[in-house]
Amino acid sequence: MADKGSGGSRLPLALPPASQGCSSGGSGSSAGGSGNPRPPRNLQGLLQMAITAGSQEPDPPPEPMSEERRQWLQEAMSAAFRGQREEVEQMKNCLRVLSQATPAMAGEAELATDQQEREGALELLADLCENMDNAADFCQLSGMHLLVGRYLEAGAAGLRWRAAQLIGTCSQNVAAIQEQVLGLGALRKLLRLLDRDSCDTVRVKALFAISCLVREQEAGLLQFLRLDGFSVLMRAMQQQVQKLKVKSAFLLQNLLVGHPEHKGTLCSMGMVQQLVALVRTEHSPFHEHVLGALCSLVTDFPQGVRECQEPELGLEELLRHRCQLLQQHEEYQEELEFCEKLLQTCFSSPTDDSMDR
């Protein structure tokens, strides 16, 4: 992957082997049978080494550190800081590639080479930014401004989906980066990509980035609501791309479980009726996630239950028929459990409950 950007003379970076430091960070923390372990390559590796050492049984009071041990420790710390500096330099080189203007009056071959270089830089950054320290450094280098301002709307689909993937990689589980990305207006652009882009890969990667910005992130979820994100999510579930449908339904289910206060908003949008309509389509593994979302929508929410009970939906008959189809298929047991839970929640009378007991 690191060689992708080396095809043209314009590329000002020599992409080093991935083993020089991406996300692992701890490759030097394991020891052989005897002797000192190899020094870690970056700060994350040094931290892992310290955690490992701290988890061992306490030793007797230490003896004065030997000169050999002192030298090894100095080398380990030096290697860790040197590895981190090397990765920052790689990111700077990648950003120089991405900041260049598209060559004017370029021929088809030159444009193809230029795009390959940019895609290679984005891929290397995605690998490096699996490390949270690198992701923070990338943002401090104004990398996120470049991604949101230029590459989410690039002409080439290969650049758009790699930019969306990199935004998600940097943002997941890091509140400070999520806030920066949201402040740059990325969520609006990502929702537009999910809703309208002609490339399926772009749409899937945009959904990944959206998920990283709204799950466990209150400010992101509020933006998502203001931008009518639930409607975009529903339209994504109605597409023919299986991966997009599954991931959209999974995100919807996750948001319902984590934020039940928005169930009323979803019911007012007709979400119950739309989910039931999806269950009526030709059976596929995607239905498990749709039924899971429907279960979340009715759990401890009487309005959702009442909407499921509307006779024109015919949901009770649909669920009973589905249960019969699934009972002999072990691979669909979770879907079967969702069907049974919906029947119990929405269509079970007190008499049924007492007979079951």
Side-chain angles (χ1 to χ4, degrees):
M1 186 279 303
D3 297 332
K4 281 194 175 182
S6 59
S9 58
R10 295 177 55 258
L11 183 60
L13 73 157
L15 305 183
S19 60
Q20 288 197 355
C22 291
S23 61
S24 60
S27 60
S29 62
S30 60
S34 60
N36 288 325
R38 190 172 56 180
R41 294 290 297 152
N42 55 29
L43 291 176
Q44 189 171 337
L46 187 61
L47 176 61
Q48 182 61 47
M49 182 187 72
I51 293 172
T52 302
S55 65
Q56 297 172 354
E57 290 295 326
D59 294 326
E63 299 177 359
M65 185 181 294
S66 67
E67 186 60 33
E68 179 185 7
R69 180 67 176 173
R70 187 188 306 277
Q71 181 178 353
W72 178 87
L73 183 58
Q74 290 175 343
E75 290 176 355
M77 295 180 67
S78 176
F81 284 102
R82 184 170 60 251
Q84 192 74 21
R85 287 195 300 271
E86 288 173 357
E87 292 177 352
V88 170
E89 285 305 311
Q90 290 179 65
M91 289 191 289
K92 288 180 178 179
N93 288 337
C94 288
L95 288 172
R96 279 193 284 271
V97 172
L98 296 171
S99 299
Q100 294 174 12
T102 303
M105 306 298 290
E108 185 176 336
E110 187 176 355
L111 287 174
T113 299
D114 178 77
Q115 181 178 332
Q116 185 182 38
E117 291 175 355
R118 295 174 194 272
E119 289 177 355
L122 289 168
E123 288 190 9
L124 177 56
L125 285 168
D127 282 348
L128 291 170
C129 289
E130 292 282 353
N131 180 314
M132 288 192 295
D133 290 333
N134 286 340
D137 288 336
F138 173 75
C139 292
Q140 290 180 356
L141 293 169
S142 297
M144 199 59 72
H145 290 73
L146 190 61
L147 291 181
V148 176
R150 181 171 173 183
Y151 282 91
L152 280 183
E153 299 173 311
L159 296 176
R160 294 197 302 276
W161 75 252
R162 287 175 173 85
Q165 175 178 264
L166 181 52
I167 289 172
T169 299
C170 292
S171 300
Q172 54 187 343
N173 305 318
V174 185
I177 296 178
Q178 291 168 344
E179 291 165 6
Q180 184 186 81
V181 174
L182 292 168
L184 292 171
L187 189 56
R188 181 184 297 275
K189 294 183 178 182
L190 289 165
L191 285 167
R192 189 182 302 126
L193 291 177
L194 172 59
D195 207 22
R196 305 177 187 173
D197 203 277
S198 59
C199 175
D200 292 341
T201 304
V202 173
R203 300 174 76 185
V204 170
K205 298 298 184 181
L207 179 58
F208 163 65
I210 291 166
S211 176
C212 292
L213 291 171
V214 302
R215 292 177 63 180
E216 312 301 331
Q217 168 54 260
E218 193 63 34
L221 182 60
L222 290 175
Q223 269 199 35
F224 182 80
L225 289 168
R226 286 198 298 269
L227 295 169
D228 200 20
F230 280 122
S231 294
V232 176
L233 212 55
M234 172 50 68
R235 288 194 290 272
M237 283 191 282
Q238 295 168 338
Q239 301 303 311
Q240 298 304 311
V241 184
Q242 186 73 6
K243 183 180 288 189
L244 194 62
K245 293 165 66 172
V246 170
K247 290 181 178 295
S248 298
F250 182 80
L251 177 57
L252 175 61
Q253 183 181 359
N254 178 274
L255 293 176
L256 283 169
V257 171
H259 301 275
E261 66 273 17
H262 299 302
K263 292 179 181 182
T265 300
L266 288 168
C267 281
S268 67
M269 293 168 52
M271 186 64 75
V272 168
Q273 292 76 11
Q274 295 184 72
L275 290 174
V276 173
L278 288 173
V279 178
R280 288 191 179 279
T281 60
E282 182 179 357
H283 184 256
S284 77
F286 158 65
H287 286 173
E288 174 190 322
H289 303 283
V290 177
L291 288 162
L294 199 53
C295 273
S296 300
L297 196 54
V298 302
T299 300
D300 299 322
F301 191 61
Q303 181 184 347
V305 173
R306 288 194 298 271
E307 294 197 14
C308 285
Q309 293 171 338
E310 291 177 0
E312 57 268 28
L313 276 184
L315 180 57
E316 181 177 9
E317 182 183 358
L318 173 63
L319 291 173
R320 294 193 186 281
H321 179 65
R322 183 63 56 87
C323 286
Q324 292 177 353
L325 290 177
L326 299 178
Q327 281 174 350
Q328 304 304 317
H329 297 275
E330 186 175 347
E331 66 272 24
Y332 294 128
Q333 285 306 297
E334 288 191 51
E335 182 180 347
L336 176 60
E337 290 172 7
F338 285 137
C339 289
E340 292 173 342
K341 181 179 178 181
L342 282 166
L343 284 168
Q344 179 70 24
T345 303
C346 301
F347 303 104
S348 174
S349 66
T351 303
D352 293 333
D353 292 340
S354 61
M355 289 177 66
D356 290 340
R357 288 194 292 271

